Amino acid sequence: MKNKIILMSLSLLITMSALTGCFAGNAKNTANTANTKTNTATATNTVQKSAGGFAEAPMLQELVKAGTIPAVEDRMPVKEDIMIEPTFESIGKYGGDWRNPWNGPDDKWGIEMITEEPLFRFKQDGTGVEPNVAKGFDVNADSTEYVIHLREGMKWSDGQPFTADDVIFYWEHMLIPETFGKALYDCYYSINPETGEKERAEITKVDDYAVKVVFKHPSVQFLERLAIDNKWFFAPAHYYKTILPEFIGEDKALEVAKEYGFNDTKTLGIWTGYYYWLYPQRPTLRPWVAKNDANSDRFVMERNPYFFKTDSEGQQLPYIDRIVLDKMQDPSHKLLGMLAGNIEVGQFDFKDFTVLKENEKKGNYRVLTWKSPAWSSTGVQLNQTTEDPKLRALFQDIRFREALSVAVDRKEVSEIITNGLGEPAQASVSEGLPGYQDGWNKQWVEYDKARAEKLLDEIGLKWDAQHKFRTFADGSDLSILIYQEKGEDDKFIELLRKYYHEAGIRTELKIVDSGTFFDLKYANKVPATIKSVSIVNVALRPDELVPLRVITPWFGHYGLYSSSGGKEGVKPEGDVAQILENWDKIKASTSKEEIAKFSDEIIKLHQKNQWIIGYTAPTPTLTVVKNNVKNVAPDLVSADEFRGIGVAHPEQFYIE
Amino acid sequence: MLSYILRRLLLMIPVVMLISIVVFFIIQLPPGDFISTYAAKMATGGEIMDDAAMQVMREAYGLDQAWYMQYLKWIWGIVTEGNFGYSLAFNRPVSDIIAQYMGLTLIVSLVSMLFTYVFSIPTGIYSAVKQYSFGDYLITAIGFLGMATPNFLMAIILMYISYVYVGDPMLGIFSPEFVDQAWSYAKFIDFLKHMIIPVIVIGTASTCDLIRVMRGQMLEEMEKPYMLTARAKGLSEAKIIMKYPVRAAMNPIVSTLGWSLTSIFTGATITAIVLNLPTQGPVMYNALLSQDMYLAGTWLLFMAVCIVLGTLISDILLVWLDPRIRMQRKGM
């Protein structure tokens, strides 16, 4: 009897595991790649140069021998057009997997930044852009005509040639008709200095390897703006001609969409056009390309045999064979994976600093602290256009903001929240970034309860009967509702509310999920929130400092006023209106000096008004690297503009 | 009997319909919709979605219509084509996603259920037969501890122990090196290793419960005079216990079997998130959070069907198992 039970349960288990084998169908695709990987591991040390003086990964050598792909020099651009990527420490060697867990396709931007190859990319020191996919550019004296040169003989990851036609195709068939659901980017417009109107650029083909961008009015920052707004100014025409309704008809395109799993052709356009790096069918120029379905439990990106860069010794990049993205249900799993030594390179928030440092030896990794361009690590924003008129008047009163600033003991906040690493400071531009103002970080930073009390008295706020909380001048209740996105800064909020209550300012807290927060922001229902801004250069990415649309809580519906052309929202006045004027001047500028000048004006207005209050200096972003991974620079700036880890040029990382 | 089952089955249709309407209504109740959640998520990745871009997506997904229109379209698709709609987060048909996760969900649930019954029934019997012995007290103590400890906390503790002593927190269902390999002996062993924590964690909660039920029932049965008769006839103690009181004591356990139907198909959600198991639970949890209407709706509809069906199965089982109930019905 007992034996029977054991036998039964065993057989049940086996049938069930067989069952999963059937369900996990998409795992099959990757089985082959796993085999090739073991081959490379054994052959890494025998890198042979080809006739043209180039070397390639062993896994590609196999494919060349088998006749699946052409020889390495035929896969790359002509010799003088190959891009030589400087290595940070040393020339690397081929092979290995970069394990980098993600949370599924919602996390797509993380892997995008790692594998991104833009036309022009930001230099590592952040001083400007340099050609990347483009070979170079010419620009005329008044910045109205740009000629962008491409690399001759460069190929897409499926081996098809990459030419000026792909740029023109992208412009004509994807950008202008908004195939992927985004309005044409601002960088393609120049501003008429007289009327202030936007006028679209003309883009034409010069020859197979050059395109010309002509603006009606000077566009000094075109290349920088391009590197932010539209990093990939090209698309594989040969691929899109087989899937877009424009070329194959609506019915056929719908069939294709269904094959990809989409319900309609519009979604097909958005996902393959915008989030294209997730689709193995879509050729790219990236160092690693998708190999299987991004929705599976393990998403694999494998080296692109046609990648256009080599190291200084002629070895084709990237060094690392694959990026392996296992699906994680919760961000803490990534941390756990790092501690257990199961991740090659990963980025973490500062809040994990202590636990990462404690396990540095055991996990065999190093914690690199990359600078963050945030204005502060703890701070608060008061909505200048909040609905309640009394509260709005109070928030717009500069004395009130000063009172809230000096009512907090920054030393204590620094010790408790940042372990002392974020020094007591005001929200301000960090030293070394454009717009840095000497002494700004010391504005209103002294903890001074008497000063706060005096300021609140001056404003005319009264005390309630128990002398516990302040009221408005007319005796009505004063309370600030703080909205916070779920799960962030809990400790800081508690501390902050304690100080505010001591100063007599009553606060309430509501915690909501990010989707709700987003909607509340649009409806102008967020009076105050705990958030800082993070920005490298206001002239390139104005969103957080200039109210152009509803996005950053401090300017609330001033943003709606701009984006709706004055039809809705709250009309900006005073210094906020001046910010917008300066922004208009930046857009119509004819030289970099002018741009720098007006950007500085915007920053100075922020310094004067301190709409964004900060309590401690920014803390670094943590880039955690296993000790056997080389060529990762230790001191970069981690910013969205510079593409996160991407700024370290992951194609030249290697595993020892 | 047959007409009874048929009647119950017919009654299920309006019940499930009603549940599905309520469910769909509740899913869209929280402020915002899938697109606003999505836009907020993309904003953390640095992508800025303006009103126009959001509008385009809303139209493409049909989210610009009223909820009852969305509901009618969805239910019409199910009834006419068996099409459960389209998951907005995964960008593929809902049925594909459920199929992708169903295999592992079934395995984890069934194995932990098996563990529960195989472990709890004998333990319950032992603890009843040896009432007030050291073993009984030990089992009772562990049982209460197990019932009182939240599953996810237990999972975290076991993961910690595993990390400290084995060096691997045993996340997921396979070790990284096996994930994309075909099934082999080594992979199977690895799979078994990874199943230890989930099975213990998911299993124990109901195990402790069942042990208590089994013990209570057994104690009641063992007082009965037929035991005395059997002993007087000289039957061996083991035979007496196994043949009479155990069978009687199994009744309440078997009758609740039907209710576990839902948990088999959905899996334990929070535990699965903590342990990073690729089962239905976490997928559906995310669908609810991001208001992925059709995926969440299908899942809840599915659960409703399971509950209604489970209750029916329980009722039928009871009639079949317990002659007393059968007799009553006939008498009626």
Side-chain angles (χ1 to χ4, degrees):
Chain A
M1 181 67 192
K2 266 183 198 161
N3 284 341
K4 258 189 192 165
I5 292 177
I6 294 171
L7 215 77
M8 232 172 68
S9 40
L10 252 175
S11 55
L12 206 77
L13 224 103
I14 291 165
T15 30
M16 280 187 303
S17 35
L19 224 95
T20 18
C22 307
F23 278 112
N26 41 30
K28 279 179 207 152
N29 301 340
T30 50
N32 295 330
T33 52
N35 291 340
T36 37
K37 191 207 116 207
T38 37
N39 289 342
T40 54
T42 50
T44 3
N45 294 328
T46 55
V47 173
Q48 295 155 353
K49 296 241 165 143
S50 72
F54 295 110
E56 64 192 322
M59 66 186 282
L60 297 180
Q61 275 175 358
E62 302 281 322
L63 292 175
V64 173
K65 259 186 219 148
T68 329
I69 53 172
V72 60
E73 50 270 347
D74 298 332
R75 297 198 308 266
M76 286 196 293
V78 294
K79 198 160 186 179
E80 40 309 343
D81 280 4
I82 287 175
M83 179 166 170
I84 294 171
E85 184 69 66
T87 46
F88 174 68
E89 290 163 328
S90 47
I91 296 294
K93 60 174 202 179
Y94 288 118
D97 283 356
W98 172 355
R99 290 164 296 175
N100 185 16
W102 71 338
N103 148 37
D106 274 351
D107 243 357
K108 48 186 163 298
W109 286 108
I111 187 64
E112 193 285 324
M113 291 183 191
I114 290 173
T115 58
E116 181 176 298
E117 292 301 334
L119 203 56
F120 293 87
R121 70 179 182 195
F122 276 93
K123 291 182 202 158
Q124 282 184 331
D125 60 7
T127 52
V129 293
E130 60 189 4
N132 187 52
V133 166
K135 186 170 69 177
F137 67 96
D138 300 315
V139 59
N140 66 356
D142 59 355
S143 309
T144 52
E145 247 185 69
Y146 289 82
V147 177
I148 298 171
H149 299 283
L150 304 175
R151 296 171 193 275
E152 198 181 328
M154 186 159 158
K155 293 178 184 65
W156 292 98
S157 56
D158 61 352
Q160 295 292 321
F162 165 69
T163 64
D165 291 326
D166 292 313
V167 178
I168 301 295
F169 174 86
Y170 183 66
W171 172 251
E172 285 175 355
H173 298 282
M174 301 192 71
L175 276 174
I176 294 174
E178 299 180 15
T179 306
F180 52 85
K182 300 267 172 197
L184 187 64
Y185 298 99
D186 277 346
C187 63
Y188 298 114
Y189 291 100
S190 58
I191 305 292
N192 186 332
E194 276 129 49
T195 61
E197 263 171 64
K198 312 201 285 185
E199 286 175 64
R200 200 173 84 192
E202 290 299 323
I203 296 175
T204 47
K205 178 176 168 179
V206 178
D207 59 44
D208 271 357
Y209 300 105
V211 289
K212 187 149 91 175
V213 182
V214 181
F215 291 99
K216 292 213 177 72
H217 312 284
S219 178
V220 187
Q221 295 199 96
F222 172 59
L223 296 179
E224 286 87 354
R225 299 291 303 275
L226 188 68
I228 284 184
D229 285 357
N230 200 191
K231 297 107 190 160
W232 45 85
F233 182 33
F234 41 78
H238 65 281
Y239 164 76
Y240 285 107
K241 282 181 179 159
T242 63
I243 66 160
L244 288 182
E246 189 188 339
F247 300 100
I248 58 171
E250 192 64 43
D251 295 344
K252 192 82 199 303
L254 191 63
E255 254 175 60
V256 175
K258 296 266 180 202
E259 262 170 49
Y260 276 69
F262 299 113
N263 221 9
D264 57 291
T265 54
K266 190 86 209 168
T267 326
L268 173 80
I270 292 175
W271 281 76
T272 59
Y274 197 64
Y275 308 119
Y276 62 85
W277 58 95
L278 298 175
Y279 293 90
Q281 301 94 328
R282 198 315 196 154
T284 73
L285 300 175
R286 296 174 180 241
W288 295 277
V289 293
K291 272 289 154 188
N292 64 340
D293 177 11
N295 276 310
S296 42
D297 293 332
R298 167 174 285 189
F299 176 47
V300 176
M301 294 186 94
E302 200 176 78
R303 65 165 68 252
N304 169 5
Y306 296 90
F307 193 58
F308 63 101
K309 296 183 190 175
T310 65
D311 63 15
S312 57
E313 291 188 357
Q315 299 193 77
Q316 191 191 23
L317 296 173
Y319 290 128
I320 295 176
D321 282 342
R322 309 193 302 167
I323 303 183
V324 175
L325 301 112
D326 282 333
K327 202 163 171 178
M328 293 276 171
Q329 312 280 6
D330 191 273
S332 62
H333 292 142
K334 188 169 173 187
L335 183 62
L336 211 54
M338 195 79 233
L339 300 183
N342 289 335
I343 296 173
E344 268 63 39
V345 186
Q347 269 192 329
F348 294 86
D349 279 347
F350 182 76
K351 66 174 165 36
D352 298 325
F353 185 69
T354 325
V355 65
L356 280 165
K357 267 294 188 191
E358 273 171 5
N359 292 282
E360 205 168 13
K361 280 240 163 54
K362 196 175 164 200
N364 196 22
Y365 54 74
R366 54 190 192 275
V367 179
L368 308 177
T369 50
W370 284 8
K371 213 169 152 180
S372 148
W375 279 17
S376 67
S377 50
T378 54
V380 68
Q381 295 187 27
L382 303 175
N383 182 352
Q384 296 297 307
T385 67
T386 194
E387 274 186 322
D388 180 359
K390 276 187 282 185
L391 211 53
R392 188 190 292 185
L394 186 64
F395 286 177
Q396 289 184 353
D397 194 324
I398 191 165
R399 291 170 297 179
F400 184 65
R401 295 196 293 273
E402 185 181 346
L404 290 190
S405 182
V406 297
V408 173
D409 183 358
R410 286 183 165 74
K411 280 205 189 78
E412 197 176 82
V413 176
S414 167
E415 286 302 325
I416 295 177
I417 307 297
T418 71
N419 289 318
L421 277 153
E423 283 169 16
Q426 185 57 267
S428 56
V429 178
S430 299
E431 202 169 350
L433 289 174
Y436 170 71
Q437 311 289 334
D438 192 36
W440 182 8
N441 60 351
K442 294 284 167 249
Q443 174 164 278
W444 306 344
V445 293
E446 284 314 312
Y447 178 42
D448 190 344
K449 277 169 136 174
R451 169 92 181 137
E453 183 148 359
K454 190 167 153 266
L455 284 163
L456 295 175
D457 284 338
E458 269 174 32
I459 297 167
L461 297 180
K462 302 243 160 40
W463 287 101
D464 62 6
Q466 294 84 32
H467 202 81
K468 190 153 188 271
F469 288 114
R470 295 274 182 171
T471 63
F472 284 110
D474 59 6
S476 56
D477 280 348
L478 161 61
S479 175
I480 300 175
L481 177 58
I482 301 173
Y483 269 109
Q484 191 52 24
E485 280 180 63
K486 211 164 95 192
E488 281 170 31
D489 303 317
D490 306 351
K491 270 199 294 184
F492 169 61
I493 294 175
E494 214 174 300
L495 204 57
L496 188 73
R497 292 182 70 198
K498 187 198 92 171
Y499 285 118
Y500 285 3
H501 287 187
E502 277 173 15
I505 302 297
R506 194 205 310 265
T507 58
E508 283 167 72
L509 176 66
K510 271 195 191 166
I511 295 176
V512 292
D513 67 90
S514 55
T516 314
F517 188 80
F518 194 83
D519 282 349
L520 287 168
K521 215 163 62 181
Y522 265 80
N524 200 20
K525 300 263 185 228
V526 179
T529 191
I530 308 297
K531 213 174 211 162
S532 188
V533 294
S534 187
I535 196 161
V536 173
N537 183 346
V538 64
L540 296 175
R541 193 165 245 193
D543 306 292
E544 298 197 275
L545 300 184
V546 182
L548 295 175
R549 51 171 85 98
V550 182
I551 181 162
T552 314
W554 77 265
F555 56 68
H557 266 190
Y558 286 149
L560 187 62
Y561 188 86
S562 306
S563 64
S564 68
K567 284 196 233 46
E568 292 168 88
V570 179
K571 188 169 191 283
E573 277 160 3
D575 285 350
V576 180
Q578 268 198 11
I579 286 189
L580 283 162
E581 274 169 35
N582 279 312
W583 175 246
D584 285 339
K585 285 184 197 151
I586 289 178
K587 283 196 296 185
S589 291
T590 51
S591 71
K592 296 217 163 158
E593 291 71 42
E594 259 182 84
I595 288 173
K597 190 180 129 217
F598 294 123
S599 307
D600 214 48
E601 291 292 317
I602 293 180
I603 300 287
K604 285 211 169 92
L605 285 166
H606 269 277
Q607 179 183 8
K608 179 181 155 202
N609 286 285
Q610 206 74 62
W611 289 294
I612 299 148
I613 304 168
Y615 297 104
T616 49
T619 44
T621 303
L622 308 175
T623 304
V624 187
V625 185
K626 269 193 92 170
N627 284 331
N628 62 347
V629 180
K630 302 289 169 187
N631 279 353
V632 188
D635 50 358
L636 295 170
V637 175
S638 175
D640 185 66
E641 288 90 328
F642 300 162
R643 312 318 277 159
I645 300 182
V647 71
H649 305 152
E651 61 269 35
Q652 50 96 42
F653 292 179
Y654 73 96
I655 300 169
E656 212 171 45
Chain B
M1 190 67 196
L2 204 70
S3 73
Y4 168 74
I5 294 176
L6 216 71
R7 211 168 51 233
R8 285 285 301 265
L9 280 174
L10 277 178
L11 204 67
M12 267 173 64
I13 296 171
V15 171
V16 168
M17 273 301 202
L18 208 70
I19 296 175
S20 74
I21 293 176
V22 173
V23 155
F24 207 85
F25 178 69
I26 290 175
I27 295 174
Q28 59 80 45
L29 263 191
D33 59 5
F34 174 77
I35 303 297
S36 54
T37 316
Y38 181 79
K41 263 187 214 153
M42 289 308 103
T44 57
E47 179 186 342
I48 294 157
M49 290 185 75
D50 55 13
D51 278 345
M54 285 164 69
Q55 199 50 38
V56 167
M57 279 187 91
R58 278 203 179 99
E59 273 164 30
Y61 290 145
L63 291 177
D64 49 345
Q65 290 158 329
W67 75 270
Y68 48 85
M69 283 310 291
Q70 295 179 34
Y71 173 78
L72 285 177
K73 261 168 98 181
W74 176 61
I75 210 82
W76 186 246
I78 296 178
V79 174
T80 54
E81 315 167 36
N83 174 4
F84 287 92
Y86 179 76
S87 161
L88 312 177
F90 286 82
N91 264 308
R92 59 180 57 193
V94 166
S95 43
D96 282 14
I97 296 158
I98 294 192
Q100 182 184 344
Y101 290 97
M102 193 52 96
L104 281 174
T105 308
L106 283 179
I107 291 181
V108 174
S109 312
L110 288 176
V111 171
S112 40
M113 215 168 124
L114 206 75
F115 168 83
T116 307
Y117 287 110
V118 165
F119 184 74
S120 60
I121 292 172
T123 320
I125 297 171
Y126 170 84
S127 128
V129 172
K130 308 266 175 191
Q131 198 188 5
Y132 302 137
S133 68
F134 173 74
D136 178 32
Y137 281 125
L138 188 73
I139 289 163
T140 308
I142 293 174
F144 279 127
L145 256 174
M147 269 169 84
T149 316
N151 278 358
F152 67 90
L153 185 68
M154 181 93 137
I156 292 171
I157 293 170
L158 290 179
M159 271 159 70
Y160 175 75
I161 292 173
S162 168
Y163 173 61
V164 170
Y165 292 101
V166 191
D168 182 352
M170 293 284 172
L171 278 179
I173 207 129
F174 302 112
S175 299
E177 61 268 30
F178 287 110
V179 171
D180 52 7
Q181 289 204 8
W183 278 97
S184 62
Y185 179 70
K187 184 172 181 175
F188 184 66
I189 295 297
D190 180 68
F191 163 72
L192 287 185
K193 265 195 253 166
H194 279 85
M195 281 302 285
I196 295 174
I197 295 180
V199 164
I200 292 180
V201 171
I202 302 171
T204 38
S206 36
T207 305
C208 304
D209 211 23
L210 281 180
I211 291 176
R212 299 307 297 169
V213 172
M214 194 69 201
R215 181 175 179 273
Q217 287 288 322
M218 280 292 290
L219 285 175
E220 199 177 306
E221 289 298 322
M222 277 160 59
E223 304 279 298
K224 300 242 165 105
Y226 68 76
M227 290 285 289
L228 202 67
T229 318
R231 281 210 188 93
K233 281 192 158 181
L235 281 174
S236 77
E237 191 67 20
K239 200 162 183 188
I240 298 171
I241 301 271
M242 291 314 284
K243 198 143 186 199
Y244 303 106
V246 168
R247 261 175 69 186
M250 290 282 272
N251 258 12
I253 291 179
V254 173
S255 66
T256 52
L257 210 70
W259 300 345
S260 6
L261 209 62
T262 23
S263 57
I264 291 179
F265 286 108
T266 57
T269 304
I270 299 181
T271 313
I273 293 174
V274 172
L275 290 170
N276 198 27
L277 300 178
T279 57
Q280 302 282 15
V283 175
M284 301 308 157
Y285 172 71
N286 285 328
L288 284 172
L289 276 189
S290 62
Q291 297 193 40
D292 191 350
M293 312 280 290
Y294 304 115
L295 183 54
T298 305
W299 184 58
L300 290 170
L301 180 72
F302 195 65
M303 270 179 86
V305 172
C306 282
I307 289 173
V308 177
L309 213 64
T311 319
L312 177 65
I313 292 175
S314 291
D315 286 355
I316 295 170
L317 273 179
L318 265 181
V319 172
W320 172 71
L321 209 90
D322 197 331
R324 287 167 294 186
I325 301 172
R326 208 155 48 211
M327 290 309 171
Q328 269 172 15
R329 188 164 292 281
K330 271 194 184 142
M332 260 156 53

